[in-house]
Amino acid sequence: MIIGLTGGIASGKSTVSAYLAQKGIPVFDADRSGWHVEEKGSPCLARLAKRFGEKILMADGRLDRTRLAALAFSSKEATQDLNAIVHGAIKEERDAFLRLHKDDSLVVIDAPLLLEGHWESVCDEVWLVFIPEEEQVRRAMKRSGITRKEVLMRIRRQMPLVEKRKMADVIIDNSQTLEALYEQVDQALMKALERASTMENEKFS
């Protein structure tokens, strides 16, 4: 069974992902994969430099992520181009992960742009970590030290969480305590494991 885990900026998705990993569940981290595919000398980095210019590279050839972000979030078209390049490379790593864990009863795909990239098509369930936008802005400003305007600009480049709610199978409310968050995850995980067991039985019946 494949669970797609998503959320917005500073929603707490990474906290949920780490909690699931601690329980021994294989997790594909799309953000971490993004760092990997953008390493110096990679085909993905070469495509990014061709689209956004050599100025996104530091003197040693590594990616200047701050400069790339400034360019990529400057317009909707630029953001779409960034996503098309990076997501294609990440998708290849995702598919390799799924092949590696094809015999596991349950795996998680952790991706902030899961729905924007239509990755729900490979998932059996979509889990959304949700917080109200104002709380999302507050947490992002505190965590990253960026301005309210910068946070809102990044939020607007993603599908609104209220829209993602309509597409999710499980809503995990992260507006309360960490204990309350973990309790919701445990409940959702228990139901998912039960469903995975049913799917396994049906496969061999």
Side-chain angles (χ1 to χ4, degrees), residues 79-98:
T79 303
Q80 290 174 341
D81 289 346
L82 170 70
N83 290 339
I85 294 169
V86 177
H87 288 181
I90 296 174
K91 181 177 179 293
E92 293 177 3
E93 293 205 341
R94 179 204 70 185
D95 292 344
F97 167 87
L98 292 176

Side-chain angles (χ1 to χ4, degrees), residues 5 28 93 95 116 121 139 162 166 187 193 203:
L5 176 65
F28 175 77
E93 293 205 341
D95 292 344
E116 289 89 339
S121 61
R139 292 184 185 184
V162 291
K166 300 174 184 177
Q187 291 175 355
L193 288 170
K203 187 196 309 184

Side-chain angles (χ1 to χ4, degrees), residues 155-184:
I155 289 175
R156 299 293 181 257
R157 296 299 180 203
Q158 296 183 359
M159 184 187 300
L161 287 181
V162 291
E163 290 300 316
K164 290 185 178 184
R165 282 191 72 135
K166 300 174 184 177
M167 303 174 68
D169 301 294
V170 176
I171 308 296
I172 299 172
D173 180 5
N174 189 24
S175 61
Q176 302 175 46
T177 64
L178 188 61
E179 289 74 19
L181 176 68
Y182 287 161
E183 183 178 345
Q184 292 176 73

Side-chain angles (χ1 to χ4, degrees), residues 6-95:
T6 193
I9 297 166
S11 65
K13 176 187 60 62
S14 296
T15 301
V16 172
S17 179
Y19 184 63
L20 292 169
Q22 287 173 12
K23 291 179 172 291
I25 298 170
V27 175
F28 175 77
D29 186 333
D31 278 343
R32 185 173 298 171
S33 175
W35 282 77
H36 177 250
V37 301
E38 293 171 355
E39 288 179 347
K40 178 181 177 180
S42 70
C44 179
L45 183 55
R47 289 193 290 271
L48 288 171
K50 183 177 180 180
R51 165 59 180 85
F52 294 100
E54 296 292 327
K55 55 185 172 294
I56 68 167
L57 301 177
M58 292 189 282
D60 61 1
R62 290 182 297 127
L63 176 63
D64 185 329
R65 296 179 185 279
T66 301
R67 185 165 293 179
L68 175 62
L71 293 169
F73 290 114
S74 64
S75 71
K76 186 175 182 179
E77 180 183 336
T79 303
Q80 290 174 341
D81 289 346
L82 170 70
N83 290 339
I85 294 169
V86 177
H87 288 181
I90 296 174
K91 181 177 179 293
E92 293 177 3
E93 293 205 341
R94 179 204 70 185
D95 292 344

